[in-house]
Amino acid sequence: MRRSIIIDTDPGVDDALALVYALNCPAVELRAVTTVHGNVSVERSTRNALGLLELAGPDLDIPVARGAERPLNGLSRREADFVHGAEGLGETPVFAPRRAPDPRPAWQLIRDEVTAHPGEITLCAIGPLTNLALALAHAPKIARQVAGVVLMGGAVDVPGNITPQAEYNLWADPAAAAAVLSAAWPVTLVGLDVTTQVVCSREDFAQLAQQAPRVGGFLAQAAQFYIAFYEQAAGIPGCHLHDPSALIALSHPEYFRREAMALEVAQDGEARGRTRRASAGVGPQVEVLTGVDAAAVKRAFMLTLCAADRGPVPS
Ligand code: BDR
Ligand code: CA
């Protein structure tokens, strides 16, 4: 079944990999992109999203709507420029996109698409969850109208990455995360429990650049900074495929093991953004991915991205 999706994103190197995966995966129809603060400012994430779509899908006219510039409740921000580079895409030349963003704010585009196509749209959020929380606050009925919600975020049984306890996307806006995880819509959480098992090496990116010099070459160049961070900070021979794993959980759910549980998100202090199992019977159940066939995920990623220069399959 082909899934119609909206990606909410803060590109970011792994966001870029996920966007290009979504454009080129026949199981997914990318309807719209919304941008959010996170790895970089929302100005940069919007520019990067527009530039990436022009690079990887020049014949497509997928709307990109700019979203929230800060988390709910006036919480502090911390960009992940030390992971993704000052402009978000490593040390690649900065994009100057031809297209302008959609005039609507992100939450409104999400609301409009979901209400116009009830039961059809899956929201795939691979950044902080502010836009999804705002869409819910403005139009609570969308919770009953989406086909599903897939989130890259959280760390349930493993340590965090921005703090010892918290994963970056949930840390960046814990109030939004709590609202999204407790709404009455079907959520799949693709967290560090599985994404840290999927590693892509310098050799993999060299192969990508060779097979798809235009799009894959750009991504391989962007990934150099990201890989250098992981080699140094995590001591692994390559980088984690966080955001692409969320897309692959949509296109290939059979590669993952899952467990239903209710989750609590810590709101402040040292534990800010920590995701823990809630006591039995507290809150709606979330489908948490707890295991992964990492080799199969990487194979799907490489196969799809190595074909990126041929361009997206028309719908
Ligand atoms: C998440 O944090 C961001 O830096 C990445 O883009 C990904 O969405 C991983 O914790
Ligand atoms: Ca991201």
Side-chain angles (χ1 to χ4, degrees), residues 83-96:
V83 183
H84 299 270
E87 300 292 331
L89 296 175
E91 286 165 346
T92 54
V94 173
F95 284 123

Side-chain angles (χ1 to χ4, degrees), residues 229-242:
F229 166 80
Y230 276 99
E231 285 173 342
Q232 211 243 325
I236 58 168
C239 61
H240 292 141
L241 294 182
H242 299 296

Side-chain angles (χ1 to χ4, degrees), residues 8 10 17 23 88 138 199 201 207 213 215 224 226 246 251 256 261 265 278 307:
D8 187 65
D10 59 337
L17 301 173
L23 283 171
H138 282 97
V199 176
S201 66
Q207 189 191 337
V215 180
Q224 298 309 306
Y226 189 62
S251 61
F256 297 85
M261 62 183 84
V265 185

Side-chain angles (χ1 to χ4, degrees), residues 23-311:
L23 283 171
N24 290 284
C25 172
V28 163
E29 182 205 12
L30 181 58
R31 295 280 280 259
V33 173
T34 52
T35 59
V36 69
H37 68 90
N39 290 324
V40 286
S41 66
V42 74
E43 287 77 20
R44 289 181 167 86
S45 76
T46 307
R47 177 202 63 202
N48 291 349
L50 284 163
L52 285 161
L53 291 185
E54 285 181 8
L55 174 76
D59 301 329
L60 304 177
D61 198 15
I62 295 171
V64 173
R66 179 189 148 126
E69 61 189 34
R70 60 176 68 93
L72 305 178
N73 304 339
L75 271 188
S76 58
R77 286 192 64 222
R78 182 177 179 202
E79 295 186 358
D81 51 354
F82 56 100
V83 183
H84 299 270
E87 300 292 331
L89 296 175
E91 286 165 346
T92 54
V94 173
F95 284 123
R98 286 187 307 276
R99 279 199 305 148
D102 190 278
R104 291 167 289 180
W107 69 261
Q108 202 175 322
L109 180 147
I110 292 171
R111 181 201 63 188
D112 291 353
E113 281 291 314
V114 171
T115 49
H117 307 283
E120 281 180 32
I121 309 276
T122 297
L123 303 177
C124 184
I126 55 177
L129 293 169
T130 320
N131 292 335
L132 267 62
L134 288 171
L136 267 177
H138 282 97
K141 66 175 182 186
I142 64 167
R144 293 187 306 278
Q145 296 176 321
V146 294
V149 179
V150 178
L151 311 176
M152 190 284 130
V156 177
D157 292 321
V158 297
N161 57 1
I162 186 73
T163 71
Q165 306 189 52
E167 182 280 328
Y168 179 76
N169 289 339
L170 268 56
W171 178 92
D173 195 343
V180 168
L181 289 173
S182 61
W185 52 15
V187 175
T188 301
L189 193 78
V190 188
L192 300 182
D193 301 72
V194 291
T195 64
T196 52
Q197 296 184 46
V198 189
V199 176
C200 215
S201 66
R202 287 189 186 273
E203 292 70 36
D204 294 323
F205 280 100
Q207 189 191 337
L208 183 54
Q210 198 198 14
Q211 303 267 320
R214 196 174 58 80
V215 180
F218 175 88
L219 295 173
Q221 194 191 345
Q224 298 309 306
F225 188 96
Y226 189 62
I227 292 177
F229 166 80
Y230 276 99
E231 285 173 342
Q232 211 243 325
I236 58 168
C239 61
H240 292 141
L241 294 182
H242 299 296
D243 292 342
S245 296
L247 272 299
I248 296 171
L250 262 170
S251 61
H252 298 283
E254 68 280 10
Y255 295 165
F256 297 85
R257 208 171 49 242
R258 57 208 70 232
E259 195 185 316
M261 62 183 84
L263 286 174
E264 283 169 358
V265 185
Q267 293 298 305
D268 44 34
E270 274 186 22
R272 171 178 167 175
R274 181 187 68 196
T275 36
R276 281 277 163 84
R277 288 175 167 78
S279 329
V282 179
Q285 299 278 296
V286 171
E287 181 180 79
V288 176
L289 301 190
T290 52
V292 57
D293 181 343
V297 168
K298 188 159 114 193
R299 212 164 33 244
F301 173 80
M302 289 299 291
L303 265 178
T304 305
L305 266 73
C306 282
D309 276 11
R310 293 205 285 276

